[in-house]
Amino acid sequence: MVVDLLLIALAITLDPLPIMAFVLVVASVRGARKGLAFILGWVTCFVAVITLVLLLTGGQPPEPRSPPSTFNLVAKLLVGVSLVAYGIHRRRRPGHDRRRPPGHDRRQRPGHERSRGGPVTSEPRPPAPAPAPGHAPDPDPAAPPRPERSSPLTSRMDRGSAGAAAGLAVLLQPWGLVAAGATTVVSADTSHATTWPVLLAFCLLASSTLLAAELYVVFRPAQARSRLLRLRTWMQNHAERAIVAGSIVIGLWLTGRSIYGLA
């Protein structure tokens, strides 16, 4: 149980989608307070799921080869197969690999046009006229657009409350991995003193990335927001692969463990 829970917690904390949303939360107005609310909503889900499972099992794992034990292994097997299928589906869907091939550039170089037969030289553009005194020069249409200062999503985060941030954390839970954790907690024996530290470690590890970002914002607010936003931009280009890899790896692990237990 310990290894399974820690692997699942590691996959949860490395899930890029909640991290990307959390970065927008802490980068908004009163971001530290909203980030704390996000983390509280995030951890509350884990505590609620673990409490519900322990109430159903009475804190005692089912007897081996008993109907409840077999049912739990079948449920874990279904969760594992579902995670593998989900990862393969995301891997095969169109637009999975959004990285451009080397040397590809949407903007054509000045004085060249692309065609099927290769680059064709075109007439150079005439120089732009000098701006009149007292007037700002017109922007170059060929120049890349300047980044906007704020996006509609950022503005929405600025207007959002701490309660909305906590609700967002509930919506962004990787519920497939949480279900995998729930089927693993069924084997927890609360009569052993080591069970509670393991469950606590699961909650902390599954929230460690968010906790680290929150502490960074609290102690280094000036530097944290810009760096976290750059991290979010980087994660946007790698999120799909991380989700696919995490789903398939954890799914195969749970599937193998379940088949071994049923054999």
Side-chain angles (χ1 to χ4, degrees):
M1 181 195 75
V2 177
V3 177
D4 292 353
L5 274 182
L6 294 182
L7 285 177
I8 294 170
L10 184 62
I12 291 175
T13 195
L14 294 179
D15 192 315
L17 296 183
I19 300 174
M20 292 164 60
F22 184 75
V23 168
L24 289 180
V25 170
V26 296
S28 63
V29 179
R30 297 184 298 276
R33 182 183 305 175
K34 296 177 185 177
L36 180 59
F38 188 101
I39 293 175
L40 289 177
W42 180 267
V43 176
T44 299
C45 289
F46 299 143
V47 174
V49 170
I50 292 174
T51 302
L52 179 61
V53 172
L54 293 180
L55 288 176
L56 292 177
T57 62
Q60 297 295 325
E63 295 293 333
R65 304 295 179 178
S66 64
S69 176
T70 303
F71 176 80
N72 180 58
L73 289 174
V74 172
K76 185 182 293 187
L77 177 62
L78 292 177
V79 172
V81 172
S82 299
L83 287 174
V84 173
Y86 176 72
I88 294 175
H89 169 71
R90 291 193 70 118
R91 176 66 179 84
R92 291 182 175 179
R93 71 178 185 176
H96 165 71
D97 193 356
R98 295 185 174 87
R99 295 191 308 172
R100 300 178 185 174
H104 177 75
D105 191 359
R106 290 183 180 178
R107 292 181 298 160
Q108 300 177 2
R109 295 182 179 180
H112 290 80
E113 295 179 355
R114 294 187 179 272
S115 64
R116 294 183 180 178
V120 179
T121 305
S122 61
E123 297 181 0
R125 295 182 302 168
H135 294 274
D138 295 333
D140 185 1
R146 297 180 179 179
E148 298 181 0
R149 293 183 178 180
S150 61
S151 63
L153 184 58
T154 305
S155 301
R156 188 178 303 175
M157 290 294 180
D158 291 338
R159 297 192 301 268
S161 62
L168 182 63
V170 177
L171 294 176
L172 291 178
Q173 284 280 338
W175 288 109
L177 296 174
V178 174
T183 58
T184 305
V185 174
V186 171
S187 303
D189 187 355
T190 55
S191 62
H192 293 170
T194 57
T195 299
W196 298 107
V198 170
L199 296 178
L200 178 61
F202 170 78
C203 295
L204 291 178
L205 181 57
S207 312
S208 58
T209 305
L210 305 181
L211 290 171
E214 175 71 10
L215 293 176
Y216 190 29
V217 170
V218 170
F219 292 103
R220 293 289 188 272
Q223 303 172 1
R225 287 178 174 84
S226 60
R227 292 184 178 179
L228 288 176
L229 288 175
R230 287 198 296 269
L231 174 63
R232 181 181 184 274
T233 302
W234 179 84
M235 293 183 67
Q236 283 179 325
N237 299 326
H238 301 79
E240 197 69 21
R241 291 189 173 187
I243 294 173
V244 169
S247 299
I248 293 178
V249 169
I250 298 299
L252 289 176
W253 174 266
L254 293 176
T255 301
R257 296 274 289 180
S258 302
I259 293 176
Y260 177 79
L262 291 170

